[in-house]
Amino acid sequence: MSIRPPTLREKRRYLLARIDPAETPIESKDLYYAVYEAVVSLFGDVAAAAMQPSVLAIESGHAILRCRRGAEREFAIALSTLSACRDCTLAVRVLAVSGTIESLRERIATLVPQEPDAPAQEGASEVLPDADPCEYRFGNTPVEPVLWHGHKVDVIEKGFKNTRRLFLTTEDLEKIHATTIPDGL
């Protein structure tokens, strides 16, 4: 049997998705079952069969997923409803849609995660001169940076009795930077 020419092949689209939190240990088979369950619960068995969702690879906190062309919007919606895989709580954020796997792998290579020991983005927080050099402040509260991806910074508030996780956005970072300058802006 010969290979079908490209004009007769089934068209597919590939989605690049970030798995949050990035350090979640997850198998591609387990993620496939969770993704398929999310698609079936949202759109039903017939739409899931027509969509043909699959997980191709998990690389450095990102997943490459596949579906049929024309169903990528519904597939992305179903991925946004995914909240758990096995016993792990996670979120899947769609970053890009492409016609080739190679272009998504190139995009993963450009998304270089920052090391946790690296300093935060400029203006993200101020370092106290008399405190530990790794201590940052959000307002008057000492915080510890946990993870940052582009415009989002996750920090843990250090407290005596409790610890809570704060999620800072670009607007929060701009406010912090504006308050560190004497004249405001």
Side-chain angles (χ1 to χ4, degrees):
M1 189 173 228
S2 63
I3 298 173
R4 287 183 168 178
T7 55
L8 296 177
R9 290 184 200 155
E10 197 173 290
K11 305 290 190 236
R12 299 181 180 211
R13 289 292 176 257
Y14 303 94
L15 284 80
L16 175 63
R18 184 179 73 228
I19 300 171
D20 287 333
E23 63 273 355
T24 305
I26 189 167
E27 299 274 332
S28 59
K29 187 176 182 180
D30 296 334
L31 184 61
Y32 168 74
Y33 288 132
V35 165
Y36 196 78
E37 182 62 34
V39 171
V40 168
S41 67
L42 193 61
F43 296 111
D45 291 329
V46 175
M51 191 181 299
Q52 296 180 349
S54 64
V55 176
L56 300 180
I58 297 176
E59 301 173 1
S60 64
H62 294 81
I64 298 177
L65 304 118
R66 181 180 66 199
C67 69
R68 291 183 76 181
R69 188 177 82 179
E72 55 267 11
R73 183 170 183 255
E74 290 82 10
F75 190 39
I77 291 169
L79 288 175
S80 67
T81 65
L82 186 64
S83 62
C85 179
R86 291 266 180 171
D87 297 331
C88 301
T89 302
L90 59 88
V92 179
R93 313 276 185 226
V94 176
L95 301 176
V97 178
S98 178
T100 63
I101 299 171
E102 184 178 344
S103 65
L104 293 181
R105 288 209 166 114
E106 290 171 1
R107 192 161 216 185
I108 290 174
T110 62
L111 298 172
V112 179
Q114 294 181 348
E115 295 295 323
D117 297 337
Q121 299 172 353
E122 281 189 41
S125 59
E126 65 181 66
V127 179
L128 297 176
D130 58 343
D132 184 22
C134 295
E135 186 172 325
Y136 297 91
R137 288 196 167 277
F138 178 65
N140 292 328
T141 310
V143 295
E144 177 183 335
V146 177
L147 180 70
W148 46 87
H149 290 291
H151 300 289
K152 183 180 133 190
V153 178
D154 297 351
V155 296
I156 294 180
E157 178 183 6
K158 296 179 184 176
F160 180 69
K161 291 189 177 182
N162 59 0
T163 301
R164 64 182 179 146
R165 195 166 182 155
L166 303 173
F167 301 97
L168 306 178
T169 62
T170 306
E171 295 169 3
D172 295 330
L173 297 176
E174 289 172 358
K175 288 178 187 175
I176 292 170
H177 186 63
T179 58
T180 59
I181 300 173
D183 295 333
L185 294 176

